[in-house]
Amino acid sequence: MARFFKRLVDFKRNKNPNPSPRSSPCCSSRTSDTTKSPCGDPRSSSTHSLPVTPLSSRRIDSSARWSKMYDACVCHTEDDITYAQELVSFLELHPYSLRCFVQLRDSAPGGAICTELCQAVRESHCWVLVITPSFLKDPWCCFQMQQALSESPMSNGRVIPVRKQLERKDYPQELRFVFGIDVRQDKENGFQKIKYSILYYLEELCRKEQEHRESAEGDPEHNVDEASKTLDLSENC
């Protein structure tokens, strides 16, 4: 009888020579492919699956950008002149060297205030509005904000409200539909967000111009028109 049980035990060992504890599906999938694991860290999964385009590779050099005198118009009150100067100094740093308009620095001496402000709005791609309690009480700041909204009613990334020392409930009604930047706690990070917002709009502007140019070059009628213009110029010479 003892010999029988010994043979039975040997038979079971031969049937499963390398017994191992049962592993969970999460552990096995993690070792094979981390990005496909349902139990893996979703942050690591998204990092591998989403391509990130470096900001330095974005092309913002085209005729569409240079069609206006300024990349950004910074609207602020006299109480926030120090903040505005620090912001402009940051935006104008190399390598992007954004062209900024600041009223006290760039307004023409002797020019009418309303004329200078309207021209600054028209000649700028984006408008950075430094919203503070004093901004809401300043008639010229409100005038400039209304001019910016009239230039681009749907905003489309051109209007960049910067909430500084202002609660959300005191936000202007005209800007409630526009995403803003809160710089009350982190000024340096706010500068980065403002710069990225301007660069993103300029990149989209240049990209759309490039697409329009490529589609126009593929149009036979456009090529005929360009050839006729060249012929006319040569005949005039």
Short mmCIF file of all heavy atoms in Angstrom, two decimals, residues 17 88 98 101 132 227:
data_model
loop_
_atom_site.label_atom_id
_atom_site.label_comp_id
_atom_site.label_asym_id
_atom_site.label_seq_id
_atom_site.Cartn_x
_atom_site.Cartn_y
_atom_site.Cartn_z
N PRO A 17 5.96 19.43 -13.45
CA PRO A 17 7.28 19.44 -12.84
C PRO A 17 7.69 20.78 -12.24
O PRO A 17 8.48 20.83 -11.34
CB PRO A 17 8.21 19.10 -14.02
CG PRO A 17 7.48 19.53 -15.22
CD PRO A 17 6.03 19.29 -14.92
N VAL A 88 6.53 91.66 -20.29
CA VAL A 88 7.02 92.01 -21.62
C VAL A 88 8.49 91.64 -21.77
O VAL A 88 8.93 91.12 -22.81
CB VAL A 88 6.79 93.50 -21.90
CG1 VAL A 88 7.51 93.94 -23.17
CG2 VAL A 88 5.30 93.78 -22.04
N LEU A 98 9.22 87.76 -29.01
CA LEU A 98 7.88 88.23 -29.36
C LEU A 98 7.82 89.75 -29.33
O LEU A 98 8.40 90.40 -28.46
CB LEU A 98 6.85 87.64 -28.39
CG LEU A 98 6.72 86.11 -28.41
CD1 LEU A 98 5.75 85.65 -27.33
CD2 LEU A 98 6.24 85.63 -29.77
N PHE A 101 3.44 95.26 -27.49
CA PHE A 101 3.08 96.67 -27.37
C PHE A 101 2.72 96.96 -25.91
O PHE A 101 1.90 96.27 -25.31
CB PHE A 101 1.87 97.01 -28.26
CG PHE A 101 1.35 98.42 -28.04
CD1 PHE A 101 1.89 99.47 -28.74
CD2 PHE A 101 0.34 98.65 -27.12
CE1 PHE A 101 1.43 100.76 -28.53
CE2 PHE A 101 -0.13 99.95 -26.91
CZ PHE A 101 0.41 101.00 -27.62
N THR A 132 -7.47 93.16 -13.21
CA THR A 132 -7.39 93.44 -11.78
C THR A 132 -8.59 94.31 -11.40
O THR A 132 -9.29 94.81 -12.28
CB THR A 132 -6.08 94.18 -11.44
OG1 THR A 132 -6.05 95.42 -12.17
CG2 THR A 132 -4.86 93.34 -11.82
N ALA A 227 1.48 82.97 -63.79
CA ALA A 227 2.25 83.07 -65.03
C ALA A 227 1.91 84.35 -65.78
O ALA A 227 2.79 85.01 -66.35
CB ALA A 227 1.99 81.84 -65.90
#
